[in-house]
Amino acid sequence: MTVLTDRLGRPMHDLRISVTDRCNFRCRYCMPREVFGRDFAFMPKEQLLSFEEIERLAKIFVSLGVKKIRLTGGEPLLRKNITFLIERLTQIDGLEDIGLTTNGVLLEKLAGDLKNAGLKRMNVSLDALDEKLCQQINDSGVPSTHILKGIHKAKEVGLNIKINMVVKKGMNEQEILPMAEYFKQHDIPLRYIEFMDVGSTNGWDLKNVITKKEIYTLLSAHYELEPVDPSYIGEVAKRYRYKGTNTEVGFITSVSESFCSTCTRARLAADGKMYTCLFATDGFDLKQLLRSGADDHKLTETIMQIWGARTDRYSDERTEETARNRKKIEMSYIGG
Ligand code: SAM
């Protein structure tokens, strides 16, 4: 089989599928309440891709080289019967891996069902251990103890867990060390994520970004870290290990060390639009094509054309101007 590549020679290896644009958190750096308030028009149900439609598209993406799928959102665990979708996706021939990214609110309740549906691994977002600070950041009153219960439950049922922590100046830098210590003790990999200029409603400013280098310097004063080789080309996190242990800590450096040259990710938003960059402004409406009766051949051709024409390298080219003025799609819509 010839490998489908884009105009910069990058294969299509991963697919992120957003299954809903709704979330039960209102993190200020992602879905600030003043924008995503009571009156915000989320997608009506009929606009969301159905599970059948997602499965059909996923099979086509896999036939074109996708090996990994990640379900995200919004909050993917809010999508009713999400385990049915996972069961279907795990049966796709050629798909090697399915992951899910969640804020963990519903994890304690759903961990067992997710595992039984065939899910193997999961990223849980947690930005602070401090109770009050955690509640403040998610702006929904959910304390860290609740998320931690979900994390431990997920581990107990045998799911592979990684923690994602967005670090933003003035928001949670005092939590960098406590988070490292806690998850080191529990042997759960933690990844620090640089605050990104996704969307256009989160008030992003370069001066609020705490870089990998700064976090690494802080950690190195307390722990001896050694680099871990990437497990595959295009791996997003820069990984390290606490010396003398197998416990890892990593960094997602979209702002300070962009990784566009190895970006192999396609994205499907909850309304069926396909995007080829997290920082995109426009997508292609696959749902419309699908619902107008297009056969698999037509859908395959279309996806090949979209990927084949891809030249995105936003993070390589980011400037203060693009960060501020480009009308990018929101993270809650496309999924992280
Ligand atoms: N609701 C799920 C969750 O909380 O993990 C999945 C969707 S959420 C958009 C995916 C990830 O994106 C989360 O880890 C979140 O913290 C992160 N995120 C959202 N906005 C971000 C930003 N501006 N910069 C960096 N990461 C961000």
Side-chain angles (χ1 to χ4, degrees):
M1 190 180 98
T2 48
V3 179
L4 171 66
T5 52
D6 70 9
R7 298 223 342 234
L8 302 177
R10 299 168 294 187
M12 186 169 70
H13 187 266
D14 313 71
L15 177 65
R16 303 252 163 133
I17 305 176
S18 169
V19 293
T20 176
D21 60 339
R22 288 164 204 260
C23 190
N24 39 5
F25 274 180
R26 285 293 176 273
C27 305
R28 300 205 53 76
Y29 59 77
C30 188
M31 294 181 81
R33 204 170 276 283
E34 59 275 19
V35 179
F36 296 89
R38 278 182 190 282
D39 300 334
F40 186 82
F42 288 101
M43 284 175 210
K45 195 167 169 254
E46 62 279 7
Q47 264 192 40
L48 299 179
L49 286 180
S50 68
F51 287 173
E52 288 75 17
E53 289 169 330
I54 293 178
E55 185 187 8
R56 185 168 164 211
L57 287 174
K59 280 185 178 155
I60 294 174
F61 275 97
V62 171
S63 76
L64 290 172
V66 162
K67 299 273 182 264
K68 290 174 64 178
I69 287 182
R70 170 169 298 281
L71 300 178
T72 176
E75 171 47 40
L77 298 188
L78 285 181
R79 180 81 188 249
K80 209 169 156 214
N81 297 326
I82 184 77
T83 50
F84 294 177
L85 177 65
I86 294 169
E87 270 172 27
R88 284 168 179 236
L89 295 179
T90 52
Q91 282 160 37
I92 297 179
D93 263 352
L95 184 64
E96 292 173 2
D97 194 11
I98 300 183
L100 180 142
T101 304
T102 175
N103 60 25
V105 175
L106 297 170
L107 196 49
E108 198 185 1
K109 192 168 137 211
L110 293 179
D113 294 344
L114 291 164
K115 172 76 175 140
N116 291 337
L119 194 72
K120 295 208 169 50
R121 49 187 203 88
M122 181 183 279
N123 291 357
V124 185
S125 307
L126 180 67
D127 300 331
L129 286 175
D130 181 88
E131 292 286 280
K132 285 229 168 64
L133 185 59
C134 179
Q135 290 176 307
Q136 242 173 49
I137 294 173
N138 63 52
D139 199 14
S140 305
V142 180
S144 51
T145 40
H146 179 77
I147 315 288
L148 289 172
K149 275 189 199 151
I151 291 171
H152 290 297
K153 176 72 192 233
K155 211 179 159 203
E156 198 182 295
V157 301
L159 285 161
N160 252 318
I161 305 291
K162 287 192 189 111
I163 308 300
N164 284 346
M165 172 184 181
V166 174
V167 186
K168 182 180 166 203
K169 202 167 283 175
M171 178 176 90
N172 62 344
E173 60 266 54
Q174 68 278 30
E175 291 286 311
I176 293 172
L177 284 173
M179 288 279 288
E181 186 54 33
Y182 183 90
F183 288 106
K184 178 174 176 285
Q185 271 175 22
H186 290 274
D187 188 23
I188 299 176
L190 167 66
R191 285 126 49 107
Y192 297 99
I193 307 183
E194 291 177 352
F195 175 43
M196 298 185 284
D197 56 321
V198 278
S200 44
T201 57
N202 70 0
W204 187 86
D205 197 316
L206 186 60
K207 69 175 191 294
N208 293 329
V209 176
I210 303 191
T211 61
K212 172 208 163 187
K213 197 165 167 229
E214 293 170 273
I215 302 171
Y216 180 87
T217 305
L218 181 63
L219 288 182
S220 302
H222 294 80
Y223 307 100
E224 212 174 327
L225 299 175
E226 56 189 15
V228 176
D229 288 336
S231 25
Y232 56 90
I233 297 167
E235 187 169 47
V236 178
K238 309 221 166 34
R239 293 156 58 211
Y240 294 80
R241 180 186 301 123
Y242 297 102
K243 206 164 179 189
T245 75
N246 278 324
T247 309
E248 289 191 14
V249 63
F251 302 87
I252 314 275
T253 59
S254 167
V255 180
S256 69
E257 294 172 31
S258 59
F259 37 84
C260 301
S261 63
T262 55
C263 177
T264 53
R265 279 171 294 287
R267 295 168 188 274
L268 195 54
D271 61 358
K273 285 208 178 125
M274 176 179 167
Y275 292 87
T276 53
C277 180
L278 178 58
F279 302 91
T281 49
D282 290 310
F284 183 91
D285 196 346
L286 287 178
K287 183 184 71 197
Q288 199 201 12
L289 195 63
L290 216 133
R291 292 190 183 172
S292 68
D295 62 11
D296 284 2
H297 180 71
K298 176 73 186 159
L299 288 163
T300 308
E301 291 272 294
T302 305
I303 295 169
M304 283 174 74
Q305 269 165 22
I306 295 167
W307 191 265
R310 177 188 191 231
T311 55
D312 307 281
R313 43 193 294 271
Y314 176 82
S315 291
D316 283 351
E317 297 171 335
R318 173 188 286 111
T319 61
E320 293 259 6
E321 209 281 317
T322 58
R324 230 181 282 281
N325 299 332
R326 187 159 147 162
K327 188 89 187 98
K328 292 169 255 121
I329 40 170
E330 293 298 324
M331 184 80 145
S332 53
Y333 160 73
I334 195 173

